[in-house]
Amino acid sequence: MVQFHEHIITEVLDDPQNGSGLVIVSSGLCLPKLISTLLLLHTPSQGTLLILSPHQPSFKSQLLHHFHPNPIPEISADLPSHHRHSLYTSSNVFFITPRILIVDLLTKKLPTSQIAGLIIPTVHSLTETSTEAFIVRIFRSLNKTAFVRAFSDKPHSMVSGFAKAERIMKCLYIRKMHLWPRFHVDVSQELERDAPEVVDIRVPMTKHMVGIQKAIIEVMDACLKEMRKTNKVDVEDLTVENGLFKSFDEIVRRQLDPIWHTLGKKTKQLVSDLKTLRKLLDYLVRYDAVTYLKYLDTLRVSESFRSVWVFAESSYKIFEYAKKRVYRFVTSDGVMLSDKGKSSKGKKRKLKGDDDKEQVGGTSSTSTSSGVVLDEVLEEAPKWKVLREVLEEIEEERQQAFPRGEHLVEEDDDDSGIVLVACKDERSCMQLEGFITNGPHKVMRDEWENYLLGKGELRDLHTRFKKKPKKPKGFGILDGVVHAPTPQNAEASSINKQENDALLAAAAEIRKRAKKDDAVGDDPQLPVSGRGRGKGTVVPIKPPQNAEASSGNKQEHDVLLASVSEIRKQAKKDEAVGDDPPFRGKGRGKGRGKVRNKKGPANVKGLGNNDDNNDKKEAILDKLVISDSENEGQADQLNQVVTADSSEATCQGDTIDPGVLRKHTGEADSTVSRNAKPLPPVHFYALESGQPILDILRPSIIIVYHPDMSFVREIEVHKAENPSKKLKVYFLFYEESSEVQKFEASIRRENGAFESLIRQKSLMMIPVDQDGNCLGLNSSLEPQTMSSQNSLTRKAGGRKEVEKEMQVIVDVREFMSSLPNVLHQKGMHIIPVTLEVGDYILSPLICVERKSIQDLFMSFTSGRLYHQVETMVRYYRIPVLLIEFSQDKSFSFQSASDIGDDVTPNSIISKLSLLALHFPRLRIIWSRSLHATAEIFATLKANQDEPDETKAMRVGVPSEDGIVEDDVR
């Protein structure tokens, strides 16, 4: 355990107010480990300890990992109430869902005197009206001595909005805030004492990548300038650096939400465009060239009509450069089509298995003056080459340290020899695994052939279902005259046609070859045939009958559908693999597809073959199995240890005997053939999965392929916990890229958040009572009610009227919303029960169905609202539909200009009008916010009787004889 964790724990436990406190640490400083240590210090004599279940499942799994071997059971709605009561009194540690905890507190099924305290692990997602604040308020009123401990490792979330940290502390009745940034003296000293050896590698981007990045940033800047013109957003926040983070959307939306209905379409579109551009910038450094082009193709289809960024000056460069990274079109005499006369002769790469250049076959090539040749570029990601060099260097160092034959058995735990490569997501992990196994050319080739096949398949679908063209009926024609296109446009469309023909011809060629190989059957060199087809069979697809141009949007639409079908295939295949035991980069058990003998030296030979055909090699490794469903190295288990020998299960469906690897008879790869150096076994880890991989694998070498601030800190903490361990870390950054900028900006942003919190802490005012207990948020409201009794002495000598407590019956499912909390704050008594009809019962006559805006739209679409109103009208005299808006958003569905005169099936106003006409007794209440709703409820209840709990529960529920009581019919 690191020392600063001990300091934090002693600081929290020594707090005079029962050990309550709010702890905010830097992200990556192992918060789950800190909380689990606190849980381990809990003794049964103190009482039961309840942890509010965190929203992120990964956080919970990490907490459970560190709390090992004792499992922490969860109390949820599935358990009956008597069972829950026995758990509450058992003096153990439990996870509990907030909805069940608040219902049990209100129904007094929770013995609060036996609860030692509450732990809230992700406090940054809290607001004053959230269920957690409601829980703490009731819990504090029933038990003053128990502690409430709140934790967060997202400091920037704690400074969004006005005095958020202070408001959260008042909500949770906490007096003390503990701040532990990375620059805290204790933390920095300990983490830098035995720092790991770091190698920072800056990889230059290719010129096309630089071009794309520059173009995206220019487009982003243009969009931000457009946004500044609206005068609706604080200009300080609108910087390109802020635009790199997800939180940028929240900043802009928070400012625009109250006036969202008054904004024009252009401003609304700019908000979503900035989101798209941020993704484009991120994917540029994350994915390969073909995948990036495929994503751009989908964007061109989905966004070309409405988006603003597509029409910005530099946007065409993004599409142009992305295409140049994958392929070029040249005429058969070597002139590039795009260069219009400039002859730029390049190396024309043949498609695999072809002897002559790839030319457009059949009729389509004769229709053009000169044939079009598809010149493949297939630019590899520059980081790939560097990663391979780093792995070769690691293996060389290892061979020098342990000459041939010497096993590493005698070495201690300080150097496990495990190499871990950390990527952003699972897709990147699988692709890198394929690259290390099969070489970069094979991976790019597979992606490219999938891309082409997708185009071809969709072309066939399109021609199969295409209706016969009708003659134009005057649409787009002026005065009955069809305008002939200008020569320029005609030339452009003919180029587009040629490009399209060449791509389709290439796809047809691949399919022909696949058919041929399929017919031969024994041939192990099976080319790609779409993902997840099973046992190496290729579904034959008819080649295009007439390769006419499906230029423009039609072609792009085809591509979009192709990528969708590909994703579906992948999903199906993943499901099929699903029962496979190995974890996907998550550290559970060893399973198949993994080298179990960690101590043995890496038995590594060259990747490719020395001859193109018959030089076969066999390698035998201790208990090495490659998972059956390995499909071109793409869908293998993520954590599989890849050795250079496990080149590929060449024929997709072939199973491999344990211990014996498939003979590698593929063609020699140009980059990794004769002189390929051996590589060490590698583990891959997806940062998205959020698992404690460092504690599970305890690697000696970590290659951070996609830099991430939290993961860097985790490495530092891991090294500080194991000071004697040798640890070497390689960082791969693209030089002068958004990746570097984002990494550095994330550190600056966190430091800025902590500085703001330190300032807030010094100025904070937390009101307390005589015993030193925190008074909470509404402390300022309480004294007023005391003084008001003397203000009107003329009324019956100042005698105070006996106020009757207002009761509201609330459906248990409504505790997902914040309204019960606000009603309770207003002094109403909340009775949670399961209701068949309505959400809130205010009196024996009034029943309320509450709808938030999103819920209202969904209920109209599904028809659920009609049924709900029908049952309310049947059983209650005054049925009410409450439409509740959010406090920080506009109090309107749409701007007045958008409301038409006619009733249309898509208009929400039309639907509401029809509902009101159909149910004349239905009352519709419009509420601006939660607090407005509470006041409306109080007004409605003013002259009404209190509702009856048992009657409300029986409404709409048939009796044993099947008779429903009080049915109006």
Side-chain angles (χ1 to χ4, degrees), residues 373-433:
V373 181
L374 186 63
D375 185 11
E376 294 170 25
V377 180
L378 300 185
E379 180 181 285
E380 291 156 14
K383 272 191 188 180
W384 287 5
K385 188 182 173 200
V386 176
L387 177 64
R388 173 167 275 290
E389 285 168 3
V390 167
L391 289 170
E392 284 171 358
E393 182 188 308
I394 290 165
E395 186 56 26
E396 265 178 39
E397 285 173 10
R398 185 173 298 179
Q399 296 290 352
Q400 286 166 8
F402 301 95
R404 57 165 96 200
E406 271 187 39
H407 282 265
L408 316 184
V409 179
E410 61 280 350
E411 67 171 332
D412 54 3
D413 272 351
D414 291 346
D415 188 9
S416 61
I418 292 174
V419 180
L420 179 73
V421 177
C423 305
K424 196 80 148 217
D425 54 11
E426 294 206 2
R427 189 196 158 86
S428 306
C429 291
M430 289 197 278
Q431 195 166 51
L432 284 181
E433 189 178 315

Side-chain angles (χ1 to χ4, degrees), residues 155-169:
H156 53 270
S157 300
M158 295 297 289
V159 293
S160 61
F162 177 71
K164 184 175 177 180
E166 187 175 338
R167 292 205 317 273
I168 285 178
M169 287 171 72

Side-chain angles (χ1 to χ4, degrees), residues 828-893:
M828 295 186 196
H829 178 54
I830 307 292
I831 305 169
V833 293
T834 305
L835 295 175
E836 281 299 313
V837 178
D839 292 331
Y840 297 84
I841 310 297
L842 304 185
S843 77
L845 306 179
I846 304 175
C847 170
V848 180
E849 180 68 40
R850 176 190 157 277
K851 293 286 176 199
S852 63
I853 303 305
Q854 190 182 3
D855 196 15
L856 181 73
F857 277 85
M858 285 165 64
S859 300
F860 266 127
T861 310
S862 66
R864 194 172 80 238
L865 183 59
Y866 183 91
H867 173 70
Q868 288 169 330
V869 173
E870 192 179 32
T871 52
M872 283 202 302
V873 169
R874 192 180 299 166
Y875 297 111
Y876 287 94
R877 184 87 48 84
I878 308 173
V880 177
L881 172 64
L882 167 74
I883 298 173
E884 190 176 85
F885 288 77
S886 180
Q887 192 166 0
D888 53 352
K889 292 192 175 156
S890 59
F891 187 35
S892 109
F893 280 132

Side-chain angles (χ1 to χ4, degrees), residues 490-504:
E491 186 194 339
S493 64
S494 74
I495 285 180
N496 215 337
K497 176 179 181 305
Q498 288 177 335
E499 289 192 10
N500 192 39
D501 288 352
L503 282 172
L504 288 170

Side-chain angles (χ1 to χ4, degrees), residues 384 388 428-440 442-443 446 607 630 632-634 636 642 646-648 684:
W384 287 5
R388 173 167 275 290
S428 306
C429 291
M430 289 197 278
Q431 195 166 51
L432 284 181
E433 189 178 315
F435 148 68
I436 288 172
T437 316
N438 307 325
K442 172 91 172 78
V443 173
D446 288 351
L607 239 184
E630 183 177 41
E632 287 93 37
Q634 287 288 315
D636 203 353
V642 180
S646 61
S647 40
E648 71 175 306
F684 290 93

Side-chain angles (χ1 to χ4, degrees), residues 113-136:
S113 57
Q114 298 190 29
I115 304 296
L118 294 176
I119 286 187
I120 304 167
T122 50
V123 76
H124 46 265
S125 55
L126 235 75
T127 60
E128 290 114 282
T129 54
S130 60
T131 313
E132 288 86 347
F134 191 9
I135 288 167
V136 175

Side-chain angles (χ1 to χ4, degrees), residues 449-473:
E449 292 189 357
N450 273 334
Y451 176 72
L452 285 178
L453 280 169
K455 270 189 185 305
E457 277 179 38
L458 272 150
R459 172 55 194 269
D460 292 346
L461 280 175
H462 199 84
T463 46
R464 200 177 305 152
F465 298 116
K466 192 163 64 170
K467 293 174 183 172
K468 289 182 181 174
K470 295 176 183 174
K471 288 183 182 176
K473 292 183 179 174

